[in-house]
Amino acid sequence: MRLIDRYVYPKSTRESIEGLRHYTVDGEERRLPSVTTVIAQTKDKKDKESIERWKQKVGEARAEEIKNEAAARGTAMHKYLEDLILGQRSMDLTTTGQEAQRMAEIIVDRGLNRCSDIYGVEAVLYYPGLYAGSCDLIGKIDDKVSIIDFKQTNKPKQREWIGDYFLQMAAYGMAHDAVYNTAIEQGVILMCSKDGYFQEFVIEGKEYREAKYEFLRRLDQFYGG
């Protein structure tokens, strides 16, 4: 992997406005809603009902516990991968940290090692005047410039369950293209479950274009269109 300073990604600050994450990006006059905020706020009724059924099944307290455990594991895994890419050393000796490190090492062995050029790590991307977010990785994988996302999961996923992840990458790709005049054509998810099962999902071609259109539809819905 080579770190290449091809693009200058802006600095930003994050804040919650009425419980929703927003970014203040250098050079932008207004605070921009995060990509994840736009997606979460425009979920359809079926998705929201599915989440509520799961909460009722396991109980509110247990659901919150599972969510917090997954978030902590995901944060630790991302931190390990970010430090590794940047040539830094990190050591988290907690149970969660050690579990996250094992998952991260699987992602490196099965996917990240195929990345050649790295342009951005935890890079802030924004579409002027519309939205912003922080992208795990922008770089070449299998010689294609891609939006790359690291995901942890409690159990393996089926492709039809992760449509929101594809929307997220399409949004980042559009933002990158708009600001840096690129033409990113694919997104890659590198995912590992807590029991060590690796999955890779690639979105490209017609599916990637359709994800762009769907995110723009959701963005219009978010702004009240």
Side-chain angles (χ1 to χ4, degrees):
M1 290 183 289
R2 299 181 302 171
L3 289 170
I4 300 175
D5 293 328
R6 179 169 295 179
Y7 308 106
V8 178
Y9 298 107
K11 294 181 180 180
S12 71
T13 56
R14 291 185 291 186
E15 62 181 299
S16 180
I17 302 175
E18 298 181 355
L20 304 179
R21 178 182 291 179
H22 285 69
Y23 283 76
T24 299
V25 180
D26 286 357
E28 281 288 292
E29 294 182 0
R30 59 178 291 184
R31 290 172 293 190
L32 304 174
S34 72
V35 170
T36 51
T37 288
V38 171
I39 293 172
Q41 291 299 301
T42 56
K43 282 183 179 292
D44 63 27
K45 185 178 179 181
K46 182 180 177 182
D47 286 340
K48 292 177 181 178
E49 289 175 346
S50 177
I51 293 170
E52 286 305 313
R53 284 196 300 271
W54 173 73
K55 287 182 179 180
Q56 291 171 13
K57 179 181 178 181
V58 302
E60 290 282 348
R62 179 54 182 155
E64 187 67 17
E65 186 179 331
I66 291 171
K67 184 181 77 172
N68 291 338
E69 287 173 353
R73 190 163 50 243
T75 297
M77 188 185 81
H78 278 77
K79 179 68 167 62
Y80 181 87
L81 288 167
E82 179 183 355
D83 287 350
L84 179 70
I85 293 166
L86 296 176
Q88 301 170 358
R89 296 283 296 177
S90 63
M91 185 68 67
D92 184 342
L93 298 178
T94 66
T95 300
T96 297
Q98 292 301 293
E99 186 176 48
Q101 180 174 331
R102 287 192 294 272
M103 294 164 67
E105 288 170 346
I106 291 170
I107 285 177
V108 172
D109 290 341
R110 299 290 300 276
L112 190 57
N113 277 342
R114 303 198 326 266
C115 291
S116 52
D117 300 347
I118 303 296
Y119 304 128
V121 183
E122 287 295 321
V124 172
L125 299 176
Y126 70 103
Y127 199 108
L130 292 177
Y131 62 85
S134 180
C135 179
D136 290 347
L137 195 68
I138 303 123
K140 282 187 176 181
I141 185 167
D142 298 332
D143 208 35
K144 290 185 179 179
V145 178
S146 309
I147 298 294
I148 302 167
D149 208 9
F150 308 128
K151 297 291 187 186
Q152 79 83 37
T153 182
N154 289 336
K155 61 181 181 179
K157 294 284 194 289
Q158 294 183 27
R159 192 178 186 90
E160 57 266 28
W161 298 350
I162 59 171
D164 284 355
Y165 293 166
F166 293 148
L167 295 185
Q168 185 179 8
M169 290 190 295
Y172 290 151
M174 286 190 291
H176 202 284
D177 292 348
V179 174
Y180 302 102
N181 195 31
T182 51
I184 293 175
E185 297 180 347
Q186 76 171 13
V188 179
I189 294 172
L190 303 177
M191 179 185 292
C192 188
S193 68
K194 64 181 182 180
D195 61 358
Y197 187 80
F198 176 80
Q199 292 176 280
E200 179 174 331
F201 299 94
V202 178
I203 181 170
E204 59 185 343
K206 180 181 178 183
E207 188 181 18
Y208 183 62
R209 291 192 297 274
E210 289 176 347
K212 290 182 180 181
Y213 298 145
E214 175 61 12
F215 180 78
L216 291 174
R217 185 191 70 79
R218 301 269 286 265
L219 186 66
D220 186 58
Q221 180 184 341
F222 177 83
Y223 280 113

PDB file of all heavy atoms in Angstrom, residues 5-18:
ATOM      1  N   ASP A   5      -0.614  11.633  -1.637  1.00  0.00           N
ATOM      2  CA  ASP A   5      -1.315  12.895  -1.368  1.00  0.00           C
ATOM      3  C   ASP A   5      -1.814  13.517  -2.671  1.00  0.00           C
ATOM      4  O   ASP A   5      -1.353  14.580  -3.090  1.00  0.00           O
ATOM      5  CB  ASP A   5      -0.387  13.878  -0.639  1.00  0.00           C
ATOM      6  CG  ASP A   5      -0.035  13.405   0.758  1.00  0.00           C
ATOM      7  OD1 ASP A   5      -0.884  12.736   1.373  1.00  0.00           O
ATOM      8  OD2 ASP A   5       1.074  13.702   1.224  1.00  0.00           O
ATOM      9  N   ARG A   6      -2.756  12.866  -3.301  1.00  0.00           N
ATOM     10  CA  ARG A   6      -3.281  13.364  -4.569  1.00  0.00           C
ATOM     11  C   ARG A   6      -4.379  14.401  -4.345  1.00  0.00           C
ATOM     12  O   ARG A   6      -4.532  15.336  -5.125  1.00  0.00           O
ATOM     13  CB  ARG A   6      -3.815  12.209  -5.395  1.00  0.00           C
ATOM     14  CG  ARG A   6      -4.420  12.641  -6.731  1.00  0.00           C
ATOM     15  CD  ARG A   6      -4.686  11.459  -7.629  1.00  0.00           C
ATOM     16  NE  ARG A   6      -3.435  10.805  -8.018  1.00  0.00           N
ATOM     17  CZ  ARG A   6      -3.379   9.727  -8.801  1.00  0.00           C
ATOM     18  NH1 ARG A   6      -4.494   9.183  -9.263  1.00  0.00           N
ATOM     19  NH2 ARG A   6      -2.214   9.190  -9.123  1.00  0.00           N
ATOM     20  N   TYR A   7      -5.152  14.233  -3.287  1.00  0.00           N
ATOM     21  CA  TYR A   7      -6.270  15.127  -3.021  1.00  0.00           C
ATOM     22  C   TYR A   7      -6.130  15.734  -1.628  1.00  0.00           C
ATOM     23  O   TYR A   7      -5.639  15.077  -0.698  1.00  0.00           O
ATOM     24  CB  TYR A   7      -7.598  14.366  -3.105  1.00  0.00           C
ATOM     25  CG  TYR A   7      -7.752  13.590  -4.383  1.00  0.00           C
ATOM     26  CD1 TYR A   7      -7.635  12.193  -4.396  1.00  0.00           C
ATOM     27  CD2 TYR A   7      -8.007  14.227  -5.592  1.00  0.00           C
ATOM     28  CE1 TYR A   7      -7.769  11.467  -5.570  1.00  0.00           C
ATOM     29  CE2 TYR A   7      -8.140  13.515  -6.776  1.00  0.00           C
ATOM     30  CZ  TYR A   7      -8.014  12.134  -6.755  1.00  0.00           C
ATOM     31  OH  TYR A   7      -8.133  11.423  -7.926  1.00  0.00           O
ATOM     32  N   VAL A   8      -6.556  16.973  -1.498  1.00  0.00           N
ATOM     33  CA  VAL A   8      -6.520  17.648  -0.192  1.00  0.00           C
ATOM     34  C   VAL A   8      -7.928  17.595   0.391  1.00  0.00           C
ATOM     35  O   VAL A   8      -8.836  18.282  -0.092  1.00  0.00           O
ATOM     36  CB  VAL A   8      -6.047  19.111  -0.327  1.00  0.00           C
ATOM     37  CG1 VAL A   8      -6.062  19.783   1.029  1.00  0.00           C
ATOM     38  CG2 VAL A   8      -4.656  19.164  -0.947  1.00  0.00           C
ATOM     39  N   TYR A   9      -8.104  16.778   1.404  1.00  0.00           N
ATOM     40  CA  TYR A   9      -9.412  16.632   2.021  1.00  0.00           C
ATOM     41  C   TYR A   9      -9.579  17.670   3.137  1.00  0.00           C
ATOM     42  O   TYR A   9      -8.628  17.946   3.882  1.00  0.00           O
ATOM     43  CB  TYR A   9      -9.588  15.217   2.558  1.00  0.00           C
ATOM     44  CG  TYR A   9      -9.522  14.182   1.454  1.00  0.00           C
ATOM     45  CD1 TYR A   9      -8.409  13.351   1.301  1.00  0.00           C
ATOM     46  CD2 TYR A   9     -10.563  14.061   0.538  1.00  0.00           C
ATOM     47  CE1 TYR A   9      -8.348  12.423   0.270  1.00  0.00           C
ATOM     48  CE2 TYR A   9     -10.510  13.132  -0.499  1.00  0.00           C
ATOM     49  CZ  TYR A   9      -9.400  12.321  -0.619  1.00  0.00           C
ATOM     50  OH  TYR A   9      -9.330  11.411  -1.646  1.00  0.00           O
ATOM     51  N   PRO A  10     -10.761  18.242   3.252  1.00  0.00           N
ATOM     52  CA  PRO A  10     -10.945  19.353   4.190  1.00  0.00           C
ATOM     53  C   PRO A  10     -11.009  18.905   5.646  1.00  0.00           C
ATOM     54  O   PRO A  10     -11.287  17.741   5.953  1.00  0.00           O
ATOM     55  CB  PRO A  10     -12.299  19.936   3.759  1.00  0.00           C
ATOM     56  CG  PRO A  10     -13.043  18.747   3.230  1.00  0.00           C
ATOM     57  CD  PRO A  10     -11.996  17.919   2.514  1.00  0.00           C
ATOM     58  N   LYS A  11     -10.780  19.845   6.525  1.00  0.00           N
ATOM     59  CA  LYS A  11     -11.003  19.613   7.951  1.00  0.00           C
ATOM     60  C   LYS A  11     -12.468  19.905   8.253  1.00  0.00           C
ATOM     61  O   LYS A  11     -13.142  20.630   7.519  1.00  0.00           O
ATOM     62  CB  LYS A  11     -10.092  20.512   8.782  1.00  0.00           C
ATOM     63  CG  LYS A  11      -8.612  20.187   8.627  1.00  0.00           C
ATOM     64  CD  LYS A  11      -7.760  21.093   9.500  1.00  0.00           C
ATOM     65  CE  LYS A  11      -6.279  20.756   9.350  1.00  0.00           C
ATOM     66  NZ  LYS A  11      -5.414  21.636  10.185  1.00  0.00           N
ATOM     67  N   SER A  12     -12.939  19.332   9.348  1.00  0.00           N
ATOM     68  CA  SER A  12     -14.337  19.539   9.692  1.00  0.00           C
ATOM     69  C   SER A  12     -14.537  19.340  11.191  1.00  0.00           C
ATOM     70  O   SER A  12     -13.668  18.804  11.881  1.00  0.00           O
ATOM     71  CB  SER A  12     -15.234  18.557   8.932  1.00  0.00           C
ATOM     72  OG  SER A  12     -15.063  17.251   9.439  1.00  0.00           O
ATOM     73  N   THR A  13     -15.678  19.782  11.661  1.00  0.00           N
ATOM     74  CA  THR A  13     -16.117  19.470  13.016  1.00  0.00           C
ATOM     75  C   THR A  13     -17.505  18.860  12.916  1.00  0.00           C
ATOM     76  O   THR A  13     -18.249  19.127  11.970  1.00  0.00           O
ATOM     77  CB  THR A  13     -16.170  20.720  13.905  1.00  0.00           C
ATOM     78  OG1 THR A  13     -17.022  21.704  13.289  1.00  0.00           O
ATOM     79  CG2 THR A  13     -14.777  21.308  14.093  1.00  0.00           C
ATOM     80  N   ARG A  14     -17.837  18.024  13.892  1.00  0.00           N
ATOM     81  CA  ARG A  14     -19.148  17.376  13.895  1.00  0.00           C
ATOM     82  C   ARG A  14     -19.942  17.843  15.103  1.00  0.00           C
ATOM     83  O   ARG A  14     -19.383  18.088  16.172  1.00  0.00           O
ATOM     84  CB  ARG A  14     -19.004  15.858  13.933  1.00  0.00           C
ATOM     85  CG  ARG A  14     -18.448  15.270  12.661  1.00  0.00           C
ATOM     86  CD  ARG A  14     -18.443  13.765  12.686  1.00  0.00           C
ATOM     87  NE  ARG A  14     -17.482  13.228  13.638  1.00  0.00           N
ATOM     88  CZ  ARG A  14     -17.205  11.934  13.771  1.00  0.00           C
ATOM     89  NH1 ARG A  14     -17.836  11.046  13.025  1.00  0.00           N
ATOM     90  NH2 ARG A  14     -16.321  11.525  14.639  1.00  0.00           N
ATOM     91  N   GLU A  15     -21.231  17.966  14.923  1.00  0.00           N
ATOM     92  CA  GLU A  15     -22.097  18.335  16.031  1.00  0.00           C
ATOM     93  C   GLU A  15     -23.482  17.750  15.804  1.00  0.00           C
ATOM     94  O   GLU A  15     -23.838  17.369  14.682  1.00  0.00           O
ATOM     95  CB  GLU A  15     -22.186  19.855  16.168  1.00  0.00           C
ATOM     96  CG  GLU A  15     -22.792  20.556  14.965  1.00  0.00           C
ATOM     97  CD  GLU A  15     -22.831  22.063  15.155  1.00  0.00           C
ATOM     98  OE1 GLU A  15     -23.497  22.514  16.102  1.00  0.00           O
ATOM     99  OE2 GLU A  15     -22.179  22.764  14.353  1.00  0.00           O
ATOM    100  N   SER A  16     -24.223  17.650  16.889  1.00  0.00           N
ATOM    101  CA  SER A  16     -25.579  17.139  16.820  1.00  0.00           C
ATOM    102  C   SER A  16     -26.560  18.298  16.846  1.00  0.00           C
ATOM    103  O   SER A  16     -26.484  19.162  17.726  1.00  0.00           O
ATOM    104  CB  SER A  16     -25.842  16.199  18.006  1.00  0.00           C
ATOM    105  OG  SER A  16     -27.156  15.695  17.973  1.00  0.00           O
ATOM    106  N   ILE A  17     -27.447  18.332  15.873  1.00  0.00           N
ATOM    107  CA  ILE A  17     -28.495  19.346  15.802  1.00  0.00           C
ATOM    108  C   ILE A  17     -29.832  18.632  15.887  1.00  0.00           C
ATOM    109  O   ILE A  17     -30.182  17.853  15.001  1.00  0.00           O
ATOM    110  CB  ILE A  17     -28.399  20.170  14.501  1.00  0.00           C
ATOM    111  CG1 ILE A  17     -27.029  20.850  14.388  1.00  0.00           C
ATOM    112  CG2 ILE A  17     -29.512  21.206  14.448  1.00  0.00           C
ATOM    113  CD1 ILE A  17     -26.818  21.585  13.080  1.00  0.00           C
ATOM    114  N   GLU A  18     -30.526  18.850  16.990  1.00  0.00           N
ATOM    115  CA  GLU A  18     -31.797  18.161  17.247  1.00  0.00           C
ATOM    116  C   GLU A  18     -31.644  16.653  17.126  1.00  0.00           C
ATOM    117  O   GLU A  18     -32.491  15.953  16.573  1.00  0.00           O
ATOM    118  CB  GLU A  18     -32.891  18.674  16.300  1.00  0.00           C
ATOM    119  CG  GLU A  18     -33.201  20.160  16.485  1.00  0.00           C
ATOM    120  CD  GLU A  18     -34.304  20.645  15.563  1.00  0.00           C
ATOM    121  OE1 GLU A  18     -34.756  19.845  14.716  1.00  0.00           O
ATOM    122  OE2 GLU A  18     -34.713  21.801  15.709  1.00  0.00           O
TER     123      GLU A  18
END
